[in-house]
Amino acid sequence: MNEPKTGKFPRLPEDITKRTVFISESQDFKLLRASRLVVVKGADLNKELIVEKERVTIGRSSISDLSISDSSVSGLHCELLTGPNGHLLRDLGSTNGIFMLGHRVREVFLRPGTEFQVGNNLLRFESLNTMVKIPLSAKNHFGQALGSSVKMREIFALLERVSTSDLAVLLRGETGTGKELLASGIHMYSFRKNRQFIVLDCAATPADLIESTLFGHEKGAFTGAERTRRGVFEQASGGTLFIDEVAELSLALQPKLLRVLEQQEVQRVGGISPRKVDVRIVAATHRDLCTMVDQGLFREDLFYRLSVVEVNIPPLRERPEDIPLLCERLLDQGAKLREPSGRTVCKDLDQDAMVLLQAHSWPGNVRELSNVLERAQQLTEGDIIGSRDLNLDPAGQATGADWTVDWRAPYKEAKAVLLSQFERRYLIGLMDECDGNLSLASRKAGLARHHVRNLCRKYLIRCGADSA
């Protein structure tokens, strides 16, 4: 099998190609080591995938990057993650697992020439002596969304190119990562910027009203329909419709949404004639739609229609270098709101406070950071916010005073934030008690060992090997 032509993958000096990921300090791009997956035994013998992005999936489903036609392979079987530390192969909860040298593995770093078994198929990993150039934005913002980290600048660069088209965009990320701000930015930089930007939150719309909200209804269409109402598609016609938490749509409603996206026309509930609409769609979710497709909870054809361009937004804990920039913006906004009262408002953080903020896991992401700074700004008596004013302990977790419910957030979001805080505190105490021993910790918690390990990785809590 021949390596790809160098016109697609520019060759680089040897000292650079030794790295998996190389960030240029003088130019706005990131270089990613190219690699290849090849099926060397099985039904799809010689089928291969050139890996030119940081995450690829392997499975039976057609939505996998490397699709394998074998019933012993799960829909989404495993994934290959490429990062600064190398190429990590990880099981995605498959039925038959991944095997290497006769042993079942959940995750493992691959070396060139490594072979592993997926179902009845043997795959080989090959590292190529070439690099893929990934552009980074020269800006630290996209609309109102902020970020100077490489991950965010990569997203900004992609959205800068996509915004001027009418391609559908799917934004994936945890609650509070700024999906609506990015959607607004896409509209702001598009040719539709002078038309409507309409937001529909599927999680906050009652299930019995979602169809009417989407497509509108005629007077008398159902009990309570006292007048004709336009749906969000008609309201956004000529502009952009942002469908937040699209994964909450029922399976019964998904084909109706797909029909509108394909035909660009809606039919109101109780209506007879379809109405033409011209809408650019941006959708968002905090859930894994690929897994939902595999489980039969989300239509595959609708997934393809919504995810022409898919953007994965990293959580705040994975980009602590963005926190100083975010703090500057949030504190400045808070000061402008409170200065008319005549009271002196803090706009600065001391060094210890910033260190503490960057050490926190931020389960509520930027929204949680905003709440912490808002509280500190209101209660701090001095001119500068110190570490004690943040109600965060030295381990980076919230203190007892932070166990409060944000009534302004939707129920599911407020519950998720509180649950994440509990999980992190529990795990820190558990691992300290067990000296990092995973097996002992899992027995004390009454959880499977791999589940405790995955939770520790989620919250960046160190865990050691089992004791003898």
Side-chain angles (χ1 to χ4, degrees):
M1 299 171 205
N2 297 324
E3 290 190 7
K5 295 180 180 180
T6 56
K8 186 176 181 180
F9 300 95
R11 289 190 177 276
L12 295 164
E14 182 63 25
D15 60 331
I16 292 179
T17 56
K18 287 179 180 178
R19 299 186 183 185
T20 304
V21 177
F22 175 79
I23 309 301
S24 172
E25 298 294 340
S26 58
Q27 301 182 58
D28 297 319
F29 61 83
K30 175 174 71 175
L31 296 172
L32 183 74
R33 178 184 286 278
S35 58
R36 177 166 51 202
L37 291 169
V38 185
V39 180
V40 295
K41 180 182 178 182
D44 294 303
L45 181 65
N46 295 330
K47 189 171 186 178
E48 66 175 51
L49 172 71
I50 300 297
V51 179
E52 50 187 340
K53 56 183 181 178
E54 291 178 295
R55 178 182 184 265
V56 297
T57 55
I58 304 168
R60 190 180 68 255
S61 172
S62 61
I63 64 175
S64 299
D65 295 292
L66 179 57
S67 181
I68 299 176
S69 54
D70 179 358
S71 59
S72 66
V73 177
S74 298
L76 283 175
H77 200 101
C78 56
E79 64 182 358
L80 179 65
L81 304 174
T82 301
N85 297 323
H87 305 272
L88 178 66
L89 179 69
R90 184 161 63 186
D91 191 357
L92 293 176
S94 63
T95 301
N96 295 321
I98 304 170
F99 283 83
M100 187 177 294
L101 300 176
H103 299 281
R104 183 166 181 167
V105 296
R106 293 192 177 274
E107 58 182 42
V108 62
F109 279 99
L110 300 180
R111 293 181 177 179
T114 299
E115 295 185 347
F116 58 94
Q117 187 173 341
V118 175
N120 295 321
N121 305 269
L122 187 65
L123 279 71
R124 182 170 64 240
F125 169 76
E126 299 173 351
S127 181
L128 305 177
N129 191 32
T130 51
M131 303 291 276
V132 180
K133 183 182 291 187
I134 300 175
L136 303 177
S137 174
K139 301 177 181 178
N140 63 4
H141 66 278
F142 180 77
Q144 295 298 311
L146 295 177
S148 57
S149 62
V150 170
K151 291 183 179 180
M152 292 306 293
R153 289 172 58 210
E154 182 181 342
I155 290 173
F156 294 165
L158 173 61
L159 295 182
E160 286 166 3
R161 300 194 305 273
V162 168
S163 294
T164 54
S165 71
D166 269 342
L167 296 175
V169 179
L170 176 64
L171 303 172
R172 287 185 53 206
E174 295 179 5
T175 296
T177 49
K179 296 187 288 293
E180 186 170 340
L181 289 180
L182 290 173
S184 177
I186 293 171
H187 176 72
M188 183 188 307
Y189 293 116
S190 73
F191 296 120
R192 299 171 178 264
K193 62 183 179 181
N194 295 323
R195 305 300 293 271
Q196 289 287 328
F197 175 71
I198 302 296
V199 178
L200 170 65
D201 186 347
C202 297
T205 305
D208 56 344
L209 295 178
I210 188 68
E211 183 174 1
S212 170
T213 303
L214 274 168
F215 312 127
H217 63 256
E218 299 289 351
K219 181 179 179 180
F222 51 85
T223 303
E226 300 178 353
R227 61 184 178 85
T228 298
R229 175 182 174 181
R230 294 189 306 154
V232 292
F233 271 94
E234 288 186 72
Q235 296 173 40
S237 190
T240 304
L241 174 60
F242 175 50
I243 307 178
D244 197 9
E245 296 303 341
V246 68
E248 302 303 319
L249 289 177
S250 68
L251 276 171
L253 193 56
Q254 289 175 26
K256 297 181 181 180
L257 174 60
L258 177 63
R259 191 177 306 115
V260 174
L261 299 181
E262 290 179 337
Q263 300 177 1
Q264 286 290 292
E265 59 182 26
V266 298
Q267 185 168 326
R268 294 174 179 171
V269 178
I272 300 175
S273 303
R275 298 169 181 270
K276 283 290 183 182
V277 291
D278 174 24
V279 179
R280 200 263 180 87
I281 298 295
V282 180
T285 180
H286 72 280
R287 301 174 69 180
D288 188 344
L289 285 187
C290 292
T291 299
M292 292 184 66
V293 169
D294 187 40
Q295 295 171 346
L297 300 176
F298 200 85
R299 288 180 63 107
E300 183 175 333
D301 46 7
L302 179 57
F303 170 79
Y304 280 126
R305 178 63 65 172
L306 293 173
S307 62
V308 177
V309 177
E310 185 173 351
V311 179
N312 293 295
I313 308 166
L316 190 56
R317 63 181 172 273
E318 293 182 5
R319 49 188 181 99
E321 61 268 41
D322 287 339
I323 289 179
L325 183 64
L326 290 166
C327 288
E328 182 180 355
R329 166 73 67 82
L330 293 169
L331 290 174
D332 186 57
Q333 289 177 342
K336 289 179 180 178
L337 290 174
R338 299 177 184 87
E339 281 177 344
S341 64
R343 176 177 173 269
T344 301
V345 181
C346 299
K347 294 184 181 180
D348 296 311
L349 295 153
D350 67 21
Q351 186 175 357
D352 290 341
M354 183 58 68
V355 170
L356 203 55
L357 289 172
Q358 291 183 299
H360 187 48
S361 63
W362 300 113
N365 292 292
V366 181
R367 184 177 290 118
E368 183 187 359
L369 173 64
S370 177
N371 291 341
V372 168
L373 293 178
E374 181 182 4
R375 181 182 60 237
Q377 203 166 30
Q378 290 191 42
L379 300 180
T380 301
E381 297 181 355
D383 296 330
I384 297 178
I385 297 174
S387 57
R388 292 186 178 181
D389 300 316
L390 298 174
N391 284 326
L392 298 173
D393 70 18
Q397 62 183 118
T399 62
D402 202 51
W403 286 82
T404 56
V405 176
D406 182 4
W407 307 107
R408 295 167 296 181
Y411 170 80
K412 288 184 178 180
E413 293 184 6
K415 180 181 177 181
V417 169
L418 203 60
L419 178 60
S420 295
Q421 291 176 1
F422 160 75
E423 285 182 335
R424 191 175 193 281
R425 287 195 189 188
Y426 180 86
L427 286 165
I428 287 175
L430 178 67
M431 298 312 295
D432 283 346
E433 175 71 18
C434 300
D435 293 325
N437 186 298
L438 275 174
S439 294
L440 179 59
S442 63
R443 289 196 296 271
K444 281 183 173 289
L447 297 171
R449 184 178 181 275
H450 74 270
H451 186 50
V452 175
R453 180 187 59 196
N454 290 339
L455 284 173
C456 287
R457 286 175 177 163
K458 176 181 177 181
Y459 295 108
L460 302 180
I461 297 170
R462 290 187 178 182
C463 53
D466 295 342
S467 59

